[in-house]
Amino acid sequence: QGRSWPLDSSGLQFSADLWVEQAAAFIRDVVKEPAYVAGNSLGGFLGAQLAAKHPELVKGVVLLNATPFWAFRNPDSPDSENKKQGSGLIWDGLLPAPSGYKYVAEKAFDALRDESNVNRILGLVYANPESSAHPNLTRDIIDSAGHPEGPNAYASIVFSPRAHLPFAKALARSVEAGVPYLMLYGRDDPWVVPLWGQRACLQLELALRQSRRRAASTSNPPETGSKTETGLPEIQYIEITPAGHCPHDEAPEAVATVIEDWFREHLEQNKGNMIQADSNKLEINHRIEEKVLDSERVVREKDGREISVYPRKGCAPRNVGEWAGTALLRARLAFA
């Protein structure tokens, strides 16, 4: 929850489905109009879920090294709302946590939020060690985790069920609803390696092809939300390097440049959807240097580092691992 903790967590289940509905409520009640959504890691997973369940609220999604899965328990059955807490053999994450679960979770959570452990984890996922050593980053994480309800929330997160909609189906359903995607992945991520981005991109493209075939076979095009001039969304896949699991934090100028370009394209395609931004407030000052290769450009960060940006069209696999992974995915989808 960061700093936005509920006054009473009793009855809550800290699952992906809850976070998606919180995001939907925020757009409805605070933003009060459809919005572009960007999410890193679990946030990307939730962004796809949000676009699939509430496409009317989402103009587009930016996935930043999105995790393709979350939680280990099977989703609750449709009638699970009527069951009593603790009626199963394993606690379902519905707060308050049973004393035994809370005790174990508190011990594990204390170890996770230890300063040395936080620094160690950050050092693993950042390509540039200096980026993970930001003086406020570790402290912000520890402070947010220091809330008295932290252990309770952690226990609920660990034992809550998976989202009812798997990541692949969320991608397919949202793209069929006309939601455009920008996939921006740090190439040096040791967790969500490029293969996962490749798989997600392929899943989006397959869903898009199916939508086009259905539209071509019927006299009336599908209701896609008119996100683009053709009525079907666009998919853009980009990798940047050096950048790890949190590219927006490690290479903010490069990420801002790519997202700005993507927004600009959508403004040109959807001139009726006016987005006004104060460039002075954005404070984005970047330099782009074009290299010889048309598919590559370099963005210089404020500290002088050069970040290579690689747009990849068609999501073609580049090595044996990616070829094998995408082949298995194609076979699985073909026989699903």
Side-chain angles (χ1 to χ4, degrees):
Q1 288 295 127
R3 301 181 189 278
S4 56
W5 290 85
L7 296 177
D8 183 9
S9 60
S10 298
L12 292 180
Q13 189 180 55
F14 283 95
S15 65
D17 289 332
L18 171 66
W19 293 323
V20 168
E21 294 310 314
Q22 286 179 328
F26 182 83
I27 294 176
R28 290 194 193 98
D29 300 340
V30 180
V31 181
K32 298 185 183 299
E33 62 178 326
Y36 288 93
V37 177
N40 170 233
S41 190
L42 172 59
F45 179 91
L46 299 177
Q49 295 279 329
L50 177 66
K53 295 181 177 180
H54 304 283
E56 74 283 357
L57 299 177
V58 181
K59 290 182 178 179
V61 178
V62 180
L63 298 183
L64 298 158
N65 291 67
T67 180
F69 42 76
W70 184 254
F72 66 92
R73 291 187 61 240
N74 289 328
D76 293 332
S77 59
D79 61 346
S80 61
E81 294 181 359
N82 298 323
K83 71 178 182 180
K84 295 182 180 180
Q85 182 195 23
S87 60
L89 295 177
I90 300 178
W91 177 50
D92 60 2
L94 188 67
L95 293 174
S99 58
Y101 286 90
K102 184 176 181 180
Y103 175 80
V104 174
E106 187 169 5
K107 296 300 182 183
F109 193 56
D110 284 342
L112 279 175
R113 61 183 173 181
D114 178 75
E115 183 173 354
S116 61
N117 194 47
V118 171
N119 285 328
R120 183 182 63 83
I121 294 174
L122 291 175
L124 291 175
V125 299
Y126 278 76
N128 176 27
E130 295 182 359
S131 298
S132 64
H134 191 281
N136 296 326
L137 181 58
T138 300
R139 180 47 51 191
D140 287 344
I141 294 174
I142 294 174
D143 288 347
S144 296
H147 193 279
E149 284 293 309
N152 254 334
Y154 177 72
S156 180
I157 290 170
V158 171
F159 287 95
S160 289
R162 295 194 299 266
H164 285 81
L165 201 60
F167 186 56
K169 289 186 178 180
L171 293 174
R173 184 176 296 182
S174 56
V175 79
E176 289 170 358
V179 179
Y181 274 83
L182 168 63
M183 308 180 69
L184 180 54
Y185 279 65
R187 179 176 286 186
D188 308 289
D189 186 351
W191 291 349
V192 184
V193 296
L195 175 60
W196 290 113
Q198 290 283 314
R199 288 169 59 90
C201 187
L202 177 60
Q203 289 161 341
L204 282 169
E205 289 212 338
L206 288 175
L208 185 55
R209 293 193 200 110
Q210 292 170 355
S211 293
R212 286 172 176 161
R213 283 197 295 267
R214 285 195 295 268
S217 63
T218 59
S219 57
N220 297 320
E223 295 182 4
T224 58
S226 300
K227 299 291 182 180
T228 66
E229 292 179 354
T230 61
L232 289 172
E234 295 181 346
I235 302 166
Q236 189 170 1
Y237 181 88
I238 292 176
E239 290 180 3
I240 64 174
T241 185
H245 188 63
C246 305
H248 58 294
D249 188 42
E250 191 167 7
E253 301 295 329
V255 170
T257 298
V258 173
I259 293 178
E260 277 190 313
D261 289 346
W262 188 65
F263 281 160
R264 192 174 299 112
E265 290 180 5
H266 280 268
L267 285 173
E268 293 175 355
Q269 294 170 352
N270 305 294
K271 294 182 179 180
N273 298 330
M274 300 301 295
I275 301 177
Q276 298 179 349
D278 185 349
S279 59
N280 293 328
K281 291 182 180 179
L282 290 176
E283 295 181 355
I284 298 174
N285 301 311
H286 54 265
R287 282 178 54 191
I288 302 175
E289 297 179 0
E290 297 294 339
K291 286 194 172 183
V292 178
L293 297 176
D294 293 336
S295 61
E296 177 185 352
R297 62 178 175 175
V298 170
V299 177
R300 190 183 302 277
E301 295 291 322
K302 290 182 178 180
D303 60 6
R305 289 179 297 117
E306 292 186 346
I307 306 297
S308 296
V309 179
Y310 296 93
R312 305 212 27 249
K313 296 181 179 179
C315 307
R318 298 159 299 181
N319 53 49
V320 175
E322 291 182 1
W323 275 109
T326 52
L328 289 173
L329 176 61
R330 288 180 185 276
R332 182 179 178 184
L333 293 178
F335 291 101

